Amino acid sequence: SLGGFIFLFFCNAAAKIMNNAEDSYLCRSLKIKKSPMLESLGLAGLFIAVMLSGSIVPFSSDAIYVAALLSGKFPVWETMVVAISGNWLGLSFTWAMGRFAKWEWVENLFKVKHETIERQKVKIDRFGIWLALLAWVPFIGEAMLIALGFYRSKTVPTLLMTLVGVAARFYVWTLVLGA
């Protein structure tokens, strides 16, 4: 499927970044060669990469995390904690962007009527902070977080739900990979 192809494409790029072992199935099937781009930064490189992907920078933190786990260079629990904290920090920044935006900016910049913004607020308020559980979903997650910030969701519950969603996602990847 297209989704699987896109995921493998990101895995390929992430494996190159994290210098994945060339003898793994993923690397053999995708013909990945070693590249020390973020390897020299170690877990700090993982933190930076997943933090950026948690913000509005469009690339896959899943692929980077999978590549870091498959490399076997870092302890699993440290890799998971670094990925969770980095991604959560990036997503928190995304939420803050919405929080500090002003209604007038949105109306003028995107040519959106005030009534449309009010209707969207009703939709966001319907699900509230529960939307933050899905903040890790590419593209729509960032949009939901910006909306939660923009419509002034409660800070602590929103960011805690974001943390729960991110932690669950990376934990599932860890289980799936048997790491």
Side-chain angles (χ1 to χ4, degrees):
S1 72
L2 180 60
F5 174 77
I6 291 170
F7 176 74
L8 287 176
F9 173 79
F10 281 117
C11 278
N12 183 12
K16 286 182 181 178
I17 290 170
M18 295 305 294
N19 196 13
N20 195 6
E22 288 183 332
D23 61 344
S24 75
Y25 173 76
L26 177 65
C27 289
R28 281 195 320 271
S29 63
L30 296 175
K31 298 180 181 150
I32 296 171
K33 304 244 189 262
K34 288 187 176 186
S35 172
M37 185 189 264
L38 284 179
E39 181 189 5
S40 63
L41 296 175
L43 289 175
L46 173 65
F47 182 86
I48 292 166
V50 296
M51 183 185 68
L52 289 174
S53 69
S55 68
I56 58 172
V57 178
F59 65 92
S60 175
S61 59
D62 295 314
I64 300 229
Y65 180 67
V66 166
L69 283 178
L70 291 177
S71 75
K73 295 182 189 304
F74 316 110
V76 173
W77 70 271
E78 287 180 19
T79 305
M80 190 163 52
V81 168
V82 166
I84 290 168
S85 54
N87 200 242
W88 179 73
L89 185 63
L91 289 168
S92 298
F93 173 75
T94 301
W95 175 84
M97 286 181 5
R99 183 66 164 206
F100 295 111
K102 295 186 178 180
W103 289 67
E104 300 81 34
W105 297 350
V106 174
E107 289 173 359
N108 293 332
L109 185 63
F110 298 108
K111 307 293 184 230
V112 178
K113 295 179 183 176
H114 188 75
E115 298 80 32
T116 304
I117 295 173
E118 287 291 337
R119 280 195 312 271
Q120 284 302 116
K121 180 173 179 10
V122 170
K123 290 178 183 176
I124 294 295
D125 287 344
R126 181 175 171 206
F127 297 104
I129 63 168
W130 296 103
L131 290 173
L133 283 173
L134 299 174
W136 57 270
V137 176
F139 305 112
I140 63 167
E142 286 90 351
M144 285 190 288
L145 269 182
I146 289 172
L148 284 168
F150 182 73
Y151 294 123
R152 308 295 188 255
S153 67
K154 295 178 182 175
T155 303
V156 173
T158 301
L159 296 181
L160 282 176
M161 293 301 268
T162 303
L163 180 61
V164 168
V166 168
R169 186 248 327 260
F170 286 126
Y171 181 70
V172 167
W173 272 118
T174 304
L175 291 177
V176 166
L177 295 172

